[in-house]
Amino acid sequence: MSIRFGIVGISGFGGGEALRLIAGHPSFELVYAAGEGSAGSRLVDRFPGVPDKLAGMVIEKWDPLTLPKLDLLFASLPTGTSAEALARVPDDVKIVDIGGDHRYVEGWAYGLADVWPDRIVGRTRVANPGCFPAAAQIALAPLLVEGLIEPGNIVVDAKTGISGAGRGGADSRFGYAESNENLVPYGLLKHVHMPEMATTIERLSGGNAAGLVFTPHLVPMTRGVLVTMYCRGAATTEQCLDAARRFYAGRAFVRVTDRPPQTKWATGSNLSFVSYAADPERNLVIAMGVVDNLGKGAAGQAVQNANLICGLPETAGLEGAPVWP
């Protein structure tokens, strides 16, 4: 079965990662590539290592009214730029939105694929989680579902590589000169991912996430997200690990480890690593999660969601090992 798909925003980091993953997909056939500033250039001009069969494809200017016949569309556009345009895509075209405009929006499934796969199967509109929420929510989900931690007053301390800003970011903090040999907190108390994480915590636990604190930090590496979360709960470390092992039993992309995870473990993959450390005497649980921000945090999970909505094996095109070292 050949599924005709397109990528909007293909020249950015998220779109480019989707292209890399899907180039070897057994069922997906790229027939449409679109962008804004890159329109008119060939894929090989933006990605010199693209397979020969795709090298000469010309990037078109994004216009939802001039789409070719597609089964599936990946949208990798900056938050705030996709809602109006994607509303004009024909209903028979399935969409996975890697950007932030449709997370917890009515009519769209929230694509936290490893936690809620049954809510994604058969849907035609899926919103990918953000990279920070992907790492945090996958680690928190087993604890919240089993009531091992309190949903309020969770503190999320996150570190991310600079590719999270996207290929066209104008903020000089994300350039080499300012990010090298530097560590920068940002988005204090008002980061765009806060409401998304709070909503997921409440839906998993049935409680209130009003005390959630989230602070991201920019670190001088290209890719990767590590979240360290401080929670209230009387569980032991082994109880937390056991809960995660049960919750993710049979899930292909979540690895539960008794060692603190490292960002490099997930580089270039759709894997997520979770671990825990707890001190019941102090009513303290530390939950840790690692993803590649361009993999599980963006394009990898988008392909996983696309597999689910297209009735394909969830692992199709995603079984490659991480890049190491």
Side-chain angles (χ1 to χ4, degrees):
M1 177 176 64
S2 179
I3 295 172
R4 294 166 56 87
F5 80 96
I7 302 176
V8 177
I10 196 166
S11 58
F13 288 144
E17 186 74 0
L19 173 64
R20 182 184 75 83
L21 292 172
I22 295 171
H25 196 287
S27 300
F28 290 163
E29 176 190 2
L30 182 66
V31 298
Y32 175 73
E36 290 292 338
S38 60
S41 59
R42 300 172 303 162
L43 283 183
V44 72
D45 297 328
R46 303 294 293 184
F47 306 102
V50 72
D52 287 342
K53 65 180 180 179
L54 299 176
M57 180 177 286
V58 175
I59 300 173
E60 301 182 32
K61 187 165 183 63
W62 163 230
D63 183 348
L65 299 181
T66 60
L67 290 177
K69 180 174 174 52
L70 296 176
D71 301 304
L72 172 68
L73 181 68
F74 291 92
S76 183
L77 298 168
T79 297
T81 64
S82 67
E84 187 276 332
L86 293 183
R88 292 185 282 148
V89 173
D91 291 342
D92 62 349
V93 179
K94 298 178 176 68
I95 302 175
V96 178
D97 187 2
I98 302 175
D101 284 10
H102 294 103
R103 294 165 188 160
Y104 285 117
V105 170
E106 184 177 355
W108 289 72
Y110 184 64
L112 191 58
D114 298 292
V115 175
W116 288 319
D118 293 345
R119 302 184 184 185
I120 301 164
V121 173
R123 298 294 295 269
T124 62
R125 298 290 186 270
V126 177
N128 243 40
C131 56
F132 289 122
Q137 293 165 173
I138 291 171
L140 290 174
L143 310 186
L144 291 166
V145 168
E146 294 206 9
L148 297 180
I149 58 173
E150 301 171 11
N153 302 311
I154 295 173
V155 176
V156 182
D157 182 290
K159 311 294 190 298
T160 183
I162 60 176
S163 62
R167 193 172 188 175
D171 192 331
S172 64
R173 291 178 301 168
F174 296 93
Y176 176 81
E178 290 191 29
S179 63
N180 185 46
E181 300 292 341
N182 202 6
L183 180 62
V184 183
Y186 66 100
L188 304 179
L189 302 176
K190 58 182 180 181
H191 194 278
V192 67
H193 288 163
M194 280 277 289
E196 177 185 351
M197 283 192 280
T199 299
T200 303
I201 289 169
E202 291 175 352
R203 295 194 178 186
L204 285 166
S205 67
N208 190 311
L212 176 68
V213 177
F214 168 54
T215 304
H217 301 76
L218 186 69
V219 298
M221 60 185 185
T222 300
R223 43 201 300 172
V225 167
L226 167 67
V227 292
T228 304
M229 295 167 285
Y230 304 94
C231 316
R232 292 298 175 191
T236 66
T237 298
E238 199 57 38
Q239 285 174 322
C240 295
L241 291 167
D242 286 345
R245 292 182 184 118
R246 286 191 298 271
F247 192 87
Y248 293 115
R251 304 298 298 154
F253 297 115
V254 181
R255 306 290 171 82
V256 182
T257 171
D258 56 6
R259 292 186 289 159
Q262 305 172 25
T263 57
K264 212 164 186 62
W265 290 358
T267 299
S269 79
N270 189 48
L271 294 177
S272 174
F273 291 86
V274 300
S275 191
Y276 308 93
D279 185 346
E281 292 186 2
R282 296 168 61 192
N283 199 40
L284 173 65
V285 173
I286 300 174
M288 294 158 280
V290 157
V291 300
D292 182 330
N293 59 291
L294 298 179
K296 176 65 75 179
Q301 187 147 232
V303 175
Q304 186 178 356
N305 281 323
N307 288 335
L308 287 168
I309 65 177
C310 291
L312 300 172
E314 194 171 349
T315 57
L318 294 170
E319 296 179 289
V323 178
W324 183 270

